[in-house]
Amino acid sequence: MAIYFDRTTKTFYLEGKDITYAFFINKYGFAEHLYFGKRISRDTLLHLRATGGEVASATVPGNVYNAPFCSYQQFPAELSFFGTGYFNEPTVHLLNAEGDRLTELLYDGYEILDEKPQMKTMPSMRGGKTLKLKLRDYATDFCAELYYTVYDDVSVIARRVVYRNERSEAVKLERAYSFTLSLPDMKRDVISFYGAWASERQIQRTPMHHGVISVDSKVSRSTHLNPSMVIATSNANEEHGEAIGIALMYSSHFVLKAEGLPNGAAQITGGINDFDFEWTLEEGEELETPEVIIAYSDEGIGGMSRELHDAAREYIIDKKFVKKSRPIVINNWEGTYFDFNAEKLKAIADGVRGTGVDTFVLDDGWFGKRNNDRCALGDWWVNEEKLPGGLDAIISHVNSLGMKFGLWFEPEMISEDSDIYRAHPEYAIKAPLRKNCYSRQQFVMDITRADVRDYIVDSVNSILDSHNIEYVKWDYNRHATELYSALLPKDRQSEFAHRYALALYELCERIIKTHPQVFFEGCAGGGGRFDYGMLYYFPQIWTSDDSDAHERTHIQYGTSIIYPMSAMSCHVSAVPNHQTGRSTDMKTRADIAHLGATGYELDTSSFTDDDRNVTRGQVEEYRKHEELILSGDLYRLENPFESNFFAFMAVSKDKGNAILTAYRALGGVNREIYRIKPRGLDKSKKYFVPELNLILGGDTLMNAGLIPPFEDGDFKTVTYHFEEK
Ligand code: GLA
């Protein structure tokens, strides 16, 4: 890994594992992009500048026509701006003290830093050599500092911008994106994710076109779609072609835009959503923008995912937990919903005794008068009517079974029917003159207020500090509406959504980081806040409230494009499935859940010895291959969005060990023979395949393939193991 500046050509070369990123400072001081892609020699790249079409464009301000290269519009940008001759999507847009909205951000120096500075207000990737490029609008002393970080073990570049006002007059930012990524052509597809509750991260692939393709959120969380995008060459598939993955480390209103430009080039921008956004910078103030992680591979979308997964595991997710054996939970939610008492909970924990399930998680309903979802959020004291002896009684029972205890919170929420709301109605987000929208009968707390944050931190921490709680599930069950804070001045209300994100990260710092021994799982009405901002704090996130195995093949497939398997919390639940009504075998449910951080979520109080034996076998099997889920390379062999099949394969880094799980949705009679080809093995190694009781070459396996013997019927799985011999 290296960052190198060639003083003669004024070119910066940033070199990561197998990538080069290069730009230069042109004669006007414009940071002009040259190349991003596979690692190349440190050659001059100035011959890549495209000429043509300047006449119709505006000249660089103050310069008479002097072709070629006399217009900002001709230059692929490192940071696009507005109103001074650059006509594509600007990365930054502001209101100057004079009332103009112009910027012209030009070179003002650089620094090369051995260690990447962590962001002050938001989570960011760790480590990595970093280039800090300073751009300045010389007319107004408005500055943009662009950070670029590269790593020698992943083909990923992390980028962000810090905007600073160095003038005595205030400036109002109306857009403050995190990056501009210039691409030489638009013969590419945009892969983005859409979704809703219980149907997260469905995949959409659209050819780029002239104009903008955009995805965003306006609901105070990153939502059931996702703050990410893949830009793939039109011919790219899982194995071949170029793919660039773009993931924002951000958990509130975001936007990502892919723009096809008039000259056939392309530009990607994004960050904090500028819809309903303004941010005032007084003299000397700065605004940090969320980091964007940009991964590259010429080995298809699969190769790109593996780079992102490695980057996340090495540089984002908490080192203490990311590759450590995970808790395997029994969660009572789908087993009881609100209808439980201490005896019932104990019986559920007893039901899995001796199976290897090692953590009992008490979900919603343990606090205040919370007997349904219409009340008590915010009343974070135990309901002793339901749980006589308090949490300690149930915790000691769980501990006596050799299990850890986990607890559910929804810290950012408040019920209208709660003691805390009756005492402090001002804690809820609400706008003057308007009635609030209800969603799940609850309101969102205005965590942009310091008093609300203090209340949340004190309530949650006092429970954690006074009980033996080793696991927390942190939920967030609704979109925010009526975005308004009584404590923000009228002309700063459009800062609300970003202030919400900053407040959320502060809560995580004050609750999660002060309990380093507790394992925190994220959740947001299923996977409504599944992003790298949250994964910095939560090693895993509940992937979806839809726990149906068939649906999960789609949701986990879509999620895996950007996020590692170890980040996906997946549970075996009851049948018929509570969300879809579908029945699938226990084996199928476990095989699909075992492709993530597995667990169980059903009423196990009536488990028989046979059920326990089955569960014990599943847990033992999971523990055997868990290392592959936590640290292995993922190969997506079959796409359930496009076929009747789904298959994931996880291969150890040394290629000595692998697991392949194949799934067939619908069975049938006299169907074509289904053959699957493993990938990622070492072609020169020999592997023992216990399911076949054969030793086969990696070359034979990967070229001749396998024919999985699915049982008759629908929703069946077959698993293979590969052990180097
Ligand atoms: C959300 C979560 C569920 C469960 C319920 C409890 O829907 O996604 O897993 O915790 O809330 O109310």
Side-chain angles (χ1 to χ4, degrees):
M1 138 187 108
I3 297 179
Y4 173 73
F5 181 54
D6 181 331
R7 285 176 198 285
T8 320
T9 57
K10 294 203 176 140
T11 303
F12 290 94
Y13 297 87
L14 297 104
E15 296 159 350
K17 178 181 141 198
D18 196 26
I19 51 169
T20 296
Y21 188 105
F23 64 90
F24 87 116
I25 307 300
N26 73 19
K27 68 178 179 185
Y28 303 104
F30 187 99
E32 184 176 331
H33 183 81
L34 289 169
Y35 176 79
F36 174 48
K38 197 166 175 65
R39 181 77 167 261
I40 53 174
S41 305
R42 245 178 240 173
D43 292 323
T44 176
L45 295 168
L46 299 184
H47 60 286
L48 294 172
R49 302 183 76 200
T51 55
E54 295 89 348
V55 182
S57 301
T59 66
V60 170
N63 289 265
V64 290
Y65 177 67
N66 176 25
F69 302 121
C70 67
S71 165
Y72 290 150
Q73 175 66 3
Q74 294 308 117
F75 309 148
E78 285 303 311
L79 192 84
S80 50
F81 45 74
F82 173 73
T84 52
Y86 188 88
F87 301 131
N88 308 316
E89 278 288 325
T91 303
V92 56
H93 183 222
L94 44 75
L95 182 60
N96 287 310
E98 290 69 21
D100 77 70
R101 282 90 52 226
L102 310 179
T103 34
E104 188 183 10
L105 285 155
L106 301 176
Y107 181 70
D108 186 27
Y110 75 96
E111 280 174 61
I112 294 174
L113 310 165
D114 282 336
E115 181 72 19
K116 171 172 180 288
Q118 289 294 287
M119 288 170 71
K120 297 173 207 142
T121 55
M122 275 182 277
S124 53
M125 282 182 81
R126 298 181 288 267
K129 197 156 194 174
T130 299
L131 169 68
K132 178 168 152 187
L133 175 75
K134 297 184 204 163
L135 304 180
R136 178 180 294 269
D137 181 73
Y138 285 90
T140 63
D141 281 336
F142 176 76
C143 299
E145 287 173 359
L146 282 61
Y147 288 80
Y148 299 79
T149 304
V150 280
Y151 299 86
D152 55 11
D153 53 353
V154 286
S155 292
V156 154
I157 180 161
R159 292 189 54 183
R160 62 187 158 98
V161 183
V162 176
Y163 296 102
R164 183 177 308 106
N165 176 21
E166 294 191 353
R167 191 190 193 197
S168 47
E169 292 85 353
V171 65
K172 190 173 269 189
L173 284 160
E174 296 183 335
R175 169 181 294 190
Y177 290 168
S178 299
F179 71 108
T180 306
L181 176 65
S182 291
L183 299 171
D185 64 76
M186 52 181 278
K187 291 182 210 116
R188 296 165 197 253
D189 294 339
V190 176
I191 299 168
S192 60
F193 305 92
Y194 65 97
W197 175 76
S199 174
E200 291 87 341
R201 291 171 292 284
Q202 308 291 302
I203 297 176
Q204 170 167 265
R205 183 166 180 158
T206 319
M208 280 188 96
H209 55 68
H210 290 281
V212 174
I213 295 174
S214 142
V215 285
D216 79 340
S217 153
K218 306 180 190 72
V219 295
S220 82
R221 53 178 166 174
S222 44
T223 76
H224 299 81
L225 42 95
N226 208 253
S228 60
M229 219 180 225
V230 179
I231 309 296
T233 46
S234 308
N235 62 351
N237 59 21
E238 275 298 305
E239 288 174 79
H240 305 291
E242 285 186 284
I244 296 171
I246 295 168
L248 285 169
M249 273 184 89
Y250 194 54
S251 316
S252 184
H253 294 188
F254 76 92
V255 66
L256 283 170
K257 292 179 175 173
E259 183 179 15
L261 307 181
N263 63 359
Q267 176 187 286
I268 319 297
T269 53
I272 300 170
N273 198 348
D274 51 319
F275 174 83
D276 195 32
F277 168 83
E278 280 178 352
W279 197 274
T280 301
L281 292 180
E282 303 289 346
E283 180 181 8
E285 284 184 346
E286 63 181 33
L287 176 72
E288 292 183 317
T289 63
E291 193 148 86
V292 60
I293 306 148
I294 305 173
Y296 171 86
S297 176
D298 64 346
E299 289 175 19
I301 300 159
M304 181 284 300
S305 293
R306 289 187 287 279
E307 295 301 331
L308 264 183
H309 298 169
D310 282 345
R313 293 183 296 205
E314 290 305 319
Y315 300 108
I316 298 175
I317 304 170
D318 194 332
K319 281 257 175 226
K320 266 196 319 296
F321 297 116
V322 63
K323 291 185 184 168
K324 296 273 160 55
S325 190
R326 297 290 171 86
I328 296 185
V329 306
I330 171 69
N331 176 304
N332 74 304
W333 177 243
E334 286 200 13
T336 64
Y337 297 104
F338 293 104
D339 185 16
F340 63 80
N341 56 28
E343 292 322 305
K344 179 74 186 177
L345 298 179
K346 288 178 188 167
I348 288 176
D350 291 344
V352 290
R353 68 187 174 278
T355 59
V357 171
D358 57 16
T359 306
F360 175 86
V361 177
L362 172 51
D363 210 281
D364 195 355
W366 58 267
F367 50 90
K369 296 204 170 61
R370 181 92 168 158
N371 293 316
N372 54 53
D373 64 8
R374 295 186 292 281
C375 62
L377 287 168
D379 291 349
W380 299 117
W381 45 88
V382 68
N383 181 335
E384 295 248 4
E385 273 170 39
K386 264 184 177 172
L387 302 174
L391 288 173
D392 284 338
I394 173 87
I395 292 174
S396 57
H397 181 81
V398 165
N399 290 162
S400 76
L401 298 172
M403 294 166 75
K404 296 176 179 164
F405 180 81
L407 194 61
W408 180 96
F409 287 93
E410 199 177 358
E412 300 148 78
M413 295 291 164
I414 189 165
S415 302
E416 193 175 33
D417 179 7
S418 66
D419 290 351
I420 185 64
Y421 186 86
R422 281 181 281 275
H424 290 286
E426 75 280 8
Y427 280 10
I429 297 177
K430 56 167 86 83
L433 313 180
R434 294 188 189 277
K435 292 181 179 156
N436 272 17
C437 296
Y438 292 82
S439 174
R440 222 187 180 217
Q441 300 290 325
Q442 67 196 48
F443 300 148
V444 184
M445 282 201 181
D446 180 2
I447 61 168
T448 70
R449 296 169 60 123
D451 55 348
V452 173
R453 290 198 296 280
D454 289 345
Y455 173 75
I456 292 171
V457 171
D458 291 347
S459 332
V460 176
N461 283 355
S462 74
I463 299 265
L464 297 185
D465 294 339
S466 53
H467 301 283
N468 185 24
I469 295 170
E470 297 175 80
Y471 184 108
V472 167
K473 178 175 170 191
W474 180 319
D475 209 340
Y476 183 88
N477 269 318
R478 63 162 289 182
H479 295 333
T481 51
E482 294 81 39
L483 302 186
Y484 184 91
S485 177
L487 296 191
L488 271 176
K490 283 199 192 88
D491 62 347
R492 293 222 166 190
Q493 290 295 331
S494 296
E495 297 181 3
F496 184 87
H498 183 54
R499 285 189 182 278
Y500 193 94
L502 299 181
L504 169 63
Y505 299 135
E506 184 193 311
L507 289 179
C508 291
E509 289 290 329
R510 293 170 65 191
I511 296 173
I512 298 177
K513 294 288 181 189
T514 55
H515 294 89
Q517 72 292 353
V518 178
F519 187 96
F520 282 80
E521 171 172 299
C523 180
R529 201 160 58 183
F530 205 119
D531 58 66
Y532 277 124
M534 290 288 87
L535 281 167
Y536 177 84
Y537 295 103
F538 302 102
Q540 64 191 46
I541 296 178
W542 179 228
T543 315
S544 174
D545 274 350
D546 190 340
S547 57
D548 171 68
H550 176 72
E551 299 281 299
R552 276 304 191 98
T553 62
H554 295 73
I555 295 168
Q556 291 172 210
Y557 189 99
T559 306
S560 79
I561 305 271
I562 303 292
Y563 304 98
M565 285 188 285
S566 65
M568 290 185 238
S569 173
C570 308
H571 292 173
V572 176
S573 60
V575 286
N577 180 270
H578 294 191
Q579 293 78 37
T580 62
R582 184 179 288 122
S583 287
T584 55
D585 294 347
M586 180 73 169
K587 169 175 160 36
T588 300
R589 282 174 273 152
D591 283 347
I592 300 303
H594 287 7
L595 295 172
T598 201
Y600 290 77
E601 183 167 339
L602 66 173
D603 183 357
T604 52
S605 61
S606 55
F607 257 23
T608 61
D609 284 344
D610 274 355
D611 294 329
R612 265 185 289 281
N613 283 337
V614 169
T615 308
R616 185 182 307 109
Q618 291 175 344
V619 170
E620 278 170 11
E621 175 53 33
Y622 181 75
R623 288 296 191 209
K624 269 194 239 152
H625 79 248
E626 183 179 20
E627 176 85 23
L628 292 168
I629 302 297
L630 297 175
S631 318
D633 284 331
L634 171 66
Y635 290 81
R636 286 180 293 261
L637 305 185
E638 198 71 65
N639 181 346
F641 292 94
E642 293 173 354
S643 79
N644 192 32
F645 298 92
F646 157 87
F648 269 10
M649 180 161 176
V651 184
S652 64
K653 288 283 175 195
D654 65 1
K655 297 188 180 292
N657 183 10
I659 182 172
L660 187 168
T661 299
Y663 164 84
R664 185 188 63 199
L666 298 183
V669 182
N670 277 333
R671 293 286 167 85
E672 74 274 20
I673 293 167
Y674 174 66
R675 194 182 296 263
I676 189 162
K677 291 189 174 170
R679 289 208 301 271
L681 299 173
D682 183 334
K683 63 178 192 288
S684 59
K685 283 190 187 343
K686 296 279 182 212
Y687 295 91
F688 175 58
V689 186
E691 291 77 10
L692 300 175
N693 198 22
L694 286 174
I695 294 176
L696 296 167
D699 52 355
T700 306
L701 285 162
M702 291 193 289
N703 290 298
L706 294 164
I707 299 178
F710 291 109
E711 268 177 44
D712 286 346
D714 300 335
F715 319 121
K716 300 296 181 186
T717 48
V718 169
T719 299
Y720 292 102
H721 295 78
F722 308 91
E723 298 155 14
E724 185 182 351
K725 277 291 150 212

